[in-house]
Amino acid sequence: MTSTEAGALRRLAPPARRFLAHRKGVLIRLALWSLAESGQAFLVGHAVARSVDEGFLAGDPRRGLLWLGVALVAVLSGARVVRGVFAQLAGVTEPLRDGLVRHAVDRSMARAAPGGPGGTDRAAVSRLTNQVEIARDSFAGLVLTLRSFVFTAAGALLGLLSLHPALLVVVLPPLAAGLALFLVTLRPMAAAQRRALAADEALGEHAASARAALRDLAACGTGPGAERHGADLVADAAAAARTLAGWAAVRTAALGVAGHLPVLALLVAVEWLRGHGVSVGALLGAFTYLVQSLLPALHTLMTALGAAGSRLLVVLDRILGPEPEPEPELELGSGLESEPASEPEPEPEPEPEPESGPSTASAPAAAFAVHTAAAPAVELRSVTLSYGVRAEPVLDALDLRVAPGEHLAVVGPSGIGKSTLTRLVAGTLAPSRGEVRVAGRVVTGRPAAELAALRVLVPQDAYVFSGTVGDNLAYLRTDPSPAELDAAVEAFGLAPLVERLGGLDATVRPAELSPGERQLVALVRAYLSPAPLLLLDEATCHLDPASEARAEKALAGRSGTLVVVAHRLSSAVRADRTLVLDGIRAQSGTHAELLGRSPLYRDLTGHWNS
């Protein structure tokens, strides 16, 4: 037995004794019903032997039929015995389940209560559902099989002894050898079961963490490392499964020795037994004891004790044992450079053919004066995007120019293509037709490293990785000075959060931040980035209006171009220009201009104001 298992047994022994000591009445009633089962096993074989020797072979068929009737009554009474056993079994298993649930809830509450270790109790749901049910079912199975084997074996062995002692000489050696081999497998089988369970949990935890951090893995380029770690965990799980299967094969051999050799030995020894005075009826009774009582009980014992016993030990140790140290979260990165795993925007209803031509026709003259001397910060040339060959286009022949340093807001109904537009500009989505340029460079198909130097995309679901506060803020810029970090924190009103977490060098746990706090961290990170273009896809939706205004003011004052998918009317009012996507044509202009000529913009303004 490993030191871990020995420690688990030492921890579990006192509570197990206390639990059983409080249920002596139930255990006594269960033992009485089990004695009835032992008597039933004794009567079946004994009645068969007497019906042959004293009835049919003695020329008295009535007596033989009478003894067979006794055997039939014993068999039929088994249903009543089983009913009584299960009625008493509930008095043991259900209190166990209730006690485990209370303990699991108390542990979770203690963790979350003031003064507790804090953090997220990720295993709480598993303990309250899966692990508690495994413990209850395994405990019930063990009680049933152990009780059945002990009392059935006692009745069968007493029956063999009553028929003739020589029968035990033939049956007991292979039976004892099989049991001994089975007992030898218990400890290594339990250790293999524990390793297999731990390997399976580690693999599941890794899969869940990697799935939740796919964006971070892609952004940081740590996908190959995570893949190698996953491959190692798969190899560990496979090795544990092979070890478990090897011991299961040994256990199967033990079952064969104990379950089949006694019958074979009895057949081989028939002549020897007859020479020692064993009657034909006694031989038939012995076969009845083996086939009907002893061997089925032995098979059930080996099958249940091997699997259920090790599972019960492991699960009870998980629930009642000391709480494990919280595992560190996977440090992967911010994931700003990858797109959220969201569904494509709903396709719009069939619409009339959109008007061609640049959507910037009515933009302020100052916006056009700039790109006579330099390339536009963003340029879309007849861009069309459809999510499917026959689907209606989300964007159709869209032309757009955004001047360097301009602050553009994008508005429109839900599903009209606002997020699609930001993804096209970010280069993470390729247009069906047309061309997208950022700073004069085509972005479609460009490597992630080059795209990162051109723009930063902040999605609605902002991600924060497990690391220091400073590392999170400076993730997109490797050399910010402490003064720059402090200025950025102050500009976005992030100082209270940084102070609460313990300063820039404190470790932040993403799960403990609110959605708004995560968005502020992501916005400061984008603010510090050297990329000349910032794309905010409703990246302030979890902020209150005052925090949103403060953040957009700081971002607009930053050197570079800002494109914001507006969440509130105030974002459009603050912008230099607003682009309205309405599925028919794209219009752009200032807030006042759009109120005069865009019915959709007027409707959106009324909706926001209400």
Side-chain angles (χ1 to χ4, degrees):
M1 181 178 292
T2 64
S3 58
T4 303
E5 291 162 344
L9 286 174
R10 285 194 297 271
R11 287 191 299 270
L12 296 176
R17 286 194 295 268
R18 289 194 298 270
F19 175 80
L20 295 176
H22 285 85
R23 284 155 187 87
K24 291 180 180 178
V26 175
L27 295 177
I28 291 173
R29 290 191 293 272
L30 189 61
L32 291 176
W33 280 110
S34 300
L35 281 174
E37 187 174 358
S38 182
Q40 175 204 9
F42 176 86
L43 277 178
V44 171
H46 193 82
V48 169
R50 291 291 179 264
S51 69
V52 173
D53 288 339
E54 299 177 6
F56 299 112
L57 290 182
D60 190 354
R62 289 185 179 181
R63 191 176 184 85
L65 290 175
L66 180 61
W67 276 112
L68 287 180
V70 172
L72 178 62
V73 171
V75 171
L76 294 178
S77 66
R80 182 70 182 91
V81 172
V82 170
R83 179 182 177 184
V85 168
F86 272 90
Q88 299 306 317
L89 183 66
V92 179
T93 56
E94 294 309 310
L96 174 69
R97 178 185 180 278
D98 295 342
L100 293 177
V101 168
R102 284 195 298 271
H103 184 85
V105 171
D106 290 344
R107 169 183 285 189
S108 298
M109 296 297 291
R111 182 185 181 95
T120 303
D121 190 0
R122 296 180 177 178
V125 175
S126 176
R127 286 197 297 268
L128 284 172
T129 55
N130 185 43
Q131 294 187 30
V132 166
E133 293 305 316
I134 288 176
R136 182 184 67 170
D137 293 344
S138 299
F139 180 68
L142 282 177
V143 172
L144 281 175
T145 53
L146 283 172
R147 175 207 56 80
S148 177
F149 175 76
V150 169
F151 287 92
T152 301
L157 292 175
L158 284 174
L160 288 171
L161 181 62
S162 69
L163 294 177
H164 200 289
L167 293 171
L168 291 179
V169 175
V170 175
V171 169
L172 277 182
L175 186 66
L179 277 174
L181 183 59
F182 168 72
L183 293 175
V184 167
T185 67
L186 284 180
R187 291 180 179 179
M189 189 80 171
Q193 184 80 34
R194 179 183 290 274
R195 287 195 298 271
L197 181 59
D200 185 63
E201 288 181 348
L203 182 59
E205 178 71 19
H206 174 76
S209 299
R211 178 182 178 278
L214 286 177
R215 297 168 60 187
D216 297 334
L217 289 167
C220 302
T222 53
E227 182 180 357
R228 287 192 297 272
H229 182 51
D232 292 340
L233 291 176
V234 169
D236 292 343
R242 284 192 295 270
T243 303
L244 191 61
W247 283 110
V250 177
R251 177 167 294 166
T252 302
L255 181 60
V257 171
H260 300 289
L261 280 186
V263 176
L264 196 60
L266 199 59
L267 287 172
V268 171
V270 165
E271 186 176 352
W272 179 83
L273 290 171
R274 290 288 291 154
H276 284 75
V278 179
S279 65
V280 175
L283 285 172
L284 288 177
F287 280 111
T288 302
Y289 280 129
L290 288 178
V291 176
Q292 295 296 323
S293 301
L294 192 58
L295 299 186
L298 181 64
H299 183 277
T300 305
L301 172 73
M302 289 186 174
T303 303
L305 186 59
S310 55
R311 278 201 308 268
L312 180 63
L313 177 63
V314 171
V315 171
L316 285 181
D317 189 39
R318 293 293 178 89
I319 298 176
L320 301 176
E323 187 171 2
E325 292 294 326
E327 296 183 4
E329 296 188 24
L330 198 59
E331 297 190 10
L332 297 168
S334 67
L336 287 176
E337 299 305 323
S338 61
E339 281 298 304
S342 58
E343 296 290 331
E345 295 192 5
E347 299 169 8
E349 296 295 327
E351 302 154 350
E353 187 72 14
E355 297 180 5
S356 60
S359 62
T360 55
S362 58
F368 293 99
V370 181
H371 47 75
T372 59
V378 177
E379 184 176 15
L380 276 67
R381 300 178 179 177
S382 299
V383 169
T384 298
L385 189 283
S386 298
Y387 290 110
V389 178
R390 298 184 179 180
E392 290 292 328
V394 179
L395 300 175
D396 195 352
L398 176 64
D399 291 322
L400 174 68
R401 286 187 177 186
V402 182
E406 188 178 2
H407 178 185
L408 176 73
V410 182
V411 301
S414 177
I416 204 65
K418 303 185 295 296
S419 295
T420 298
L421 176 62
T422 60
R423 294 172 65 187
L424 286 167
V425 175
T428 60
L429 184 64
S432 304
R433 293 189 299 275
E435 188 176 75
V436 181
R437 291 176 176 267
V438 172
R441 304 178 189 179
V442 177
V443 296
T444 304
R446 191 170 293 276
E450 295 183 21
L451 289 174
L454 294 175
R455 89 292 182 266
V456 171
L457 170 63
V458 185
Q460 178 178 348
D461 297 323
Y463 278 77
V464 177
F465 58 89
S466 181
T468 68
V469 179
D471 289 342
N472 270 279
L473 299 180
Y475 175 70
L476 299 178
R477 181 174 174 180
T478 57
D479 58 346
S481 65
E484 288 175 318
L485 282 175
D486 291 339
V489 167
E490 186 63 31
F492 285 80
L494 202 62
L497 174 62
V498 174
E499 183 179 354
R500 191 191 84 204
L501 295 175
L504 294 175
D505 294 328
T507 299
V508 58
R509 292 186 176 275
E512 296 176 3
L513 299 183
S514 69
E517 290 170 339
R518 289 198 293 271
Q519 283 190 334
L520 280 176
V521 171
L523 291 171
V524 174
R525 181 190 297 144
Y527 174 82
L528 291 170
S529 165
L533 172 63
L534 297 187
L535 302 167
L536 308 185
D537 185 7
E538 294 199 20
T540 59
C541 63
H542 295 299
L543 302 181
D544 59 79
S547 299
E548 180 185 59
R550 183 171 186 169
E552 287 189 5
K553 179 181 178 181
L555 292 171
R558 173 187 180 274
S559 175
T561 305
L562 178 62
V563 177
V564 179
V565 174
H567 179 65
R568 296 183 178 93
L569 172 64
S570 53
S571 295
V573 174
R574 284 189 291 267
D576 299 328
R577 181 162 58 104
T578 298
L579 175 68
V580 182
L581 298 177
D582 62 2
I584 300 175
R585 64 183 178 205
Q587 298 188 66
S588 66
T590 64
H591 173 66
E593 291 171 343
L594 290 172
L595 283 176
R597 69 167 184 267
S598 173
L600 175 60
Y601 189 75
R602 288 195 297 271
D603 290 343
L604 290 173
T605 301
H607 171 72
W608 277 328
N609 286 333
S610 64

